[in-house]
Amino acid sequence: MESNLNPKESFAIIEAVINERKRRYEENGIFLIFWGVLVAITGVAQFLMLRFDFYPEKSGYLWLCTMVLGFILTVICKSRQGRKNRKQHKAEDWSDFVWLAAGILAFVSMFVLNDVRMVTLVIFLPFGIACLFSALRLKNRLWIATSIFTILLAYSTIYFTARYQPLTMAVVATLAFLVPGIQFYVNNKRNSDV
C-alpha cells in the first residue's frame, strides 16, 4: 500500500513528533531540577567539608550516599511514569539510553579512578554530551549553550586543585541540569495554563 503525504501533512507529523519530545522533557524538567539541586548541594557540602577540615577523608562518601539515593528515587519515579506512558514511548528513542550510559559511566568512574580531577572529567564529560545531544534534538538554545560550557568546564577541571573539584561539580550541575530544568518546568507550566 503506497502512501502519498503532501508536504503539509508531512510537516504536521514532524511537528507532532517534535512537540511530543518537548513535552516529555518539559515533564522531566523536574528530574533535571532534582539532579541539578542534588549534585550542587553535594558538591558544596563536600567543598565545605574539605575547606574547614571536617572529616575530609570521609567527604567522598557524600557522593556515594546522595547519588545512590538519587538513582533509586529516579528509577522508582521513572518506572511509575513508564507504566502510565508505556504506549507512548517509542523504541527508536535513544535519549533514555544516552542518559543511562552516562549515568553508568559516572557511577563506575567513582570506583575506578583515584585522581579527583579525572573523576570530575569522566563524570561530567558524558553528562555534558548527553545534555548536548538532548538539547540539539530539542533545538533548545539555552541548553545547547550550557551544555557546551559544561563540556569545556569539565575539560578545564584537570587544571584545578583537588580542593575545588566539588565546587566545580556544583557549578557544572547547575549549568547542565538546573538551569535547563527550570526553563522546561516554567515552559510546561506556561503551556498548561494556556
Side-chain angles (χ1 to χ4, degrees):
M1 182 174 167
E2 197 173 304
S3 172
N4 293 331
L5 293 175
N6 67 35
K8 193 174 189 178
E9 291 171 330
S10 298
F11 182 71
I13 292 171
I14 292 169
E15 187 175 28
V17 170
I18 290 171
N19 287 337
E20 173 61 26
R21 165 68 36 211
K22 284 183 178 178
R23 187 193 58 74
R24 256 185 87 207
Y25 271 97
E26 286 170 355
E27 288 176 353
N28 292 338
I30 293 293
F31 287 105
L32 291 173
I33 292 170
F34 169 72
W35 279 102
V37 168
L38 184 67
V39 173
I41 289 172
T42 306
V44 169
Q46 185 184 25
F47 172 74
L48 292 173
M49 288 178 76
L50 294 171
R51 175 77 173 99
F52 295 109
D53 213 20
F54 184 75
Y55 297 105
E57 68 281 352
K58 297 191 188 291
S59 67
Y61 291 120
L62 281 173
W63 291 102
L64 183 63
C65 295
T66 57
M67 295 305 110
V68 169
L69 179 64
F71 177 75
I72 290 169
L73 289 173
T74 301
V75 167
I76 290 169
C77 290
K78 286 284 193 177
S79 67
R80 286 182 180 172
Q81 186 181 42
R83 281 187 234 135
K84 293 177 188 175
N85 301 330
R86 190 163 284 150
K87 292 178 183 177
Q88 294 175 349
H89 187 67
K90 303 286 184 208
E92 307 91 44
D93 184 12
W94 283 82
S95 60
D96 289 340
F97 174 74
V98 171
W99 283 103
L100 178 65
I104 290 171
L105 182 59
F107 189 74
V108 169
S109 70
M110 286 192 310
F111 298 106
V112 176
L113 299 172
N114 293 332
D115 185 6
V116 175
R117 291 177 298 203
M118 290 307 295
V119 169
T120 304
L121 175 65
V122 171
I123 287 174
F124 280 106
L125 190 59
F127 280 122
I129 292 169
C131 287
L132 185 59
F133 171 80
S134 297
L136 288 170
R137 286 189 70 185
L138 294 172
K139 297 178 180 147
N140 184 306
R141 290 185 186 135
L142 176 65
W143 205 9
I144 291 170
T146 59
S147 299
I148 291 170
F149 191 73
T150 296
I151 293 167
L152 295 174
L153 190 58
Y155 272 117
S156 70
T157 59
I158 59 174
Y159 300 109
F160 296 173
T161 61
R163 151 190 262 180
Y164 292 104
Q165 293 297 322
L167 202 54
T168 306
M169 289 181 172
V171 170
V172 167
T174 301
L175 290 173
F177 307 129
L178 189 58
V179 170
I182 291 171
Q183 181 191 25
F184 286 132
Y185 183 77
V186 168
N187 288 345
N188 187 37
K189 285 293 187 189
R190 189 178 326 129
N191 291 339
S192 63
D193 290 340
V194 173

